[in-house]
């Protein structure tokens, strides 16, 4: 079963169980997926759906930080609940050690030697690690590997 089909089934389950927060979050997710499909005129595969989910999670995390800075813990908690629902659809993240090993392998493979090669190295790593690792963390590890 594709990720999109699983999300649709979970929406039906949430409707039957009258889980309002879960239902609203899943509907929001399906709307974002549909919008992306309409904009690009393609049917999204699991990797593209995961990218949409990651984008929504990132937006929620930014919102949580802003709500906490404004002392609005009630809104921050609502966003955290949405993050938990959305994160359930993401593949399991790689550990820091696994990510560092993938970076080291890519450095050896490409022969990257200095900061000027960062773009080339990220171009190799991004398709391999997209959805599996936090790309900000990957970027930090690449910088460390190329400068150290």
């Amino acid at each position: 079963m594709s990720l999109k089909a699983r999300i649709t089934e979970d929406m039906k389950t949430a409707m039957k169980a009258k889980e309002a927060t879960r239902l609203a979050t899943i509907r929001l997710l399906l709307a974002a997926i549909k919008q992306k499909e309409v904009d690009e005129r393609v049917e999204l595969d699991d990797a593209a759906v995961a990218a949409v989910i990651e984008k929504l999670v990132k937006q929620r995390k930014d919102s949580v930080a802003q709500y906490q800075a404004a002392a609005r813990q009630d809104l921050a908690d609502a966003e955290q609940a949405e993050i938990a629902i959305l994160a359930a659809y993401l593949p399991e993240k790689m550990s820091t050690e696994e990510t560092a090993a993938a970076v080291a392998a890519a450095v050896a493979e490409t022969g990257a030697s200095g900061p000027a090669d960062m773009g080339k190295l990220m171009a190799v790593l991004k398709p391999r690690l997209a959805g599996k690792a936090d790309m900000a963390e990957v970027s930090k590890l690449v910088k460390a590997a190329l400068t150290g």
Side-chain angles (χ1 to χ4, degrees):
M1 174 184 286
S2 73
L3 184 56
K4 188 174 161 187
R6 191 174 119 213
I7 293 167
T8 304
E9 288 301 314
D10 286 352
M11 182 181 69
K12 292 174 188 173
T13 304
M15 270 188 227
K16 290 175 184 172
K18 294 184 175 35
E19 297 172 336
T21 305
R22 185 173 180 76
L23 179 60
T25 304
I26 292 173
R27 281 184 171 157
L28 180 115
L29 172 57
L30 287 172
I33 291 168
K34 189 68 167 172
Q35 183 66 47
K36 182 99 169 156
E37 287 179 339
V38 168
D39 288 349
E40 297 181 5
R41 295 188 174 110
V42 294
E43 183 78 20
L44 296 183
D45 61 350
D46 284 355
V49 170
V52 170
I53 297 169
E54 285 178 358
K55 180 179 176 187
L56 291 174
V57 168
K58 185 177 187 303
Q59 289 172 346
R60 300 292 165 298
K61 286 181 180 178
D62 291 343
S63 295
V64 166
Q66 290 177 0
Y67 288 143
Q68 288 175 338
R72 291 296 309 265
Q73 194 57 42
D74 56 328
L75 296 174
D77 292 342
E79 294 290 324
Q80 287 286 13
E82 287 186 11
I83 289 171
I85 293 167
L86 292 170
Y89 296 109
L90 291 173
E92 194 171 312
K93 296 287 184 193
M94 295 172 68
S95 69
T96 305
E97 295 79 26
E98 292 171 323
T99 306
V103 168
V107 167
E109 178 185 320
T110 60
S113 58
D117 295 328
M118 184 168 176
K120 179 171 69 172
L121 196 55
M122 288 301 290
V124 169
L125 287 169
K126 189 165 184 167
R128 291 183 190 171
L129 302 181
K132 298 177 189 167
D134 180 17
M135 293 313 287
E137 181 184 341
V138 172
S139 179
K140 289 176 189 171
L141 290 171
V142 167
K143 273 185 192 166
L146 294 178
T147 57

